[in-house]
């Protein structure tokens, strides 16, 4: 009796990819943009030490990168997703920029903080 190789795992992977592709095709761009922005915001908040882990998770170098990426996404995406969707993202971004400034031992000069090349200077 010879055994046949089990290809069900391979077909499951292919099916999963096809399902994922089909699902993404059905999602409106505004939803993808806002979801990515929320993920960036959440990660930046953790790296600013604002999450449950506080100081243990604080890493301002990582936070700077995340906030800058978020600023680029929000600035570029805002005209495409309407003010209704963009306004809360801008508010969240500004809050993170201010939290970063507050968490920094030596705050950046106005206009040089994370994402400020996209948003302009952020003041408290």
């Amino acid at each position: 009796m010879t055994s046949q190789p089990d290809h069900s795992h391979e077909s499951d992977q292919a099916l999963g990819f096809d399902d994922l592709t089909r699902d993404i095709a059905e999602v409106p761009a505004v939803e993808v943009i806002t979801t990515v922005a929320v993920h960036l915001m959440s990660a930046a908040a953790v790296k600013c030490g604002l999450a449950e882990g506080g100081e243990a998770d604080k890493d301002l170098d990582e936070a700077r990168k995340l906030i800058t990426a978020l600023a680029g996404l929000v600035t570029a995406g805002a005209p495409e997703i309407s003010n209704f969707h963009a306004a809360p993202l801008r508010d969240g971004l500004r809050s993170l920029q201010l939290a970063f400034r507050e968490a920094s031992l030596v705050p950046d000069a106005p206009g040089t903080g994370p994402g400020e090349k996209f948003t302009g200077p952020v003041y408290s």
Side-chain angles (χ1 to χ4, degrees), residues 16-115:
F17 180 76
D18 289 343
D19 289 341
L20 179 61
T21 303
R22 189 171 27 257
D23 288 345
I24 281 289
E26 295 170 5
V27 178
V30 66
E31 207 171 305
V32 174
I33 293 167
T34 56
T35 299
V36 170
V38 168
H39 284 289
L40 286 168
M41 280 185 198
S42 298
V46 169
K47 297 300 182 178
C48 281
L50 301 175
E52 194 173 305
E55 289 292 317
D57 294 328
K58 189 173 171 180
D59 184 337
L60 295 182
D61 183 52
E62 290 290 299
R64 178 182 297 278
K65 293 170 187 170
L66 292 162
I67 294 168
T68 299
L70 175 63
L73 175 63
V74 170
T75 302
E80 304 299 325
I81 63 173
S82 81
N83 195 49
F84 176 78
H85 295 287
L89 297 179
R90 282 191 203 104
D91 291 344
L93 170 60
R94 183 176 186 280
S95 295
L96 285 167
Q97 289 171 311
L98 290 171
F100 181 93
R101 185 172 298 282
E102 188 175 303
S104 298
L105 294 176
V106 180
D108 296 315
T112 62

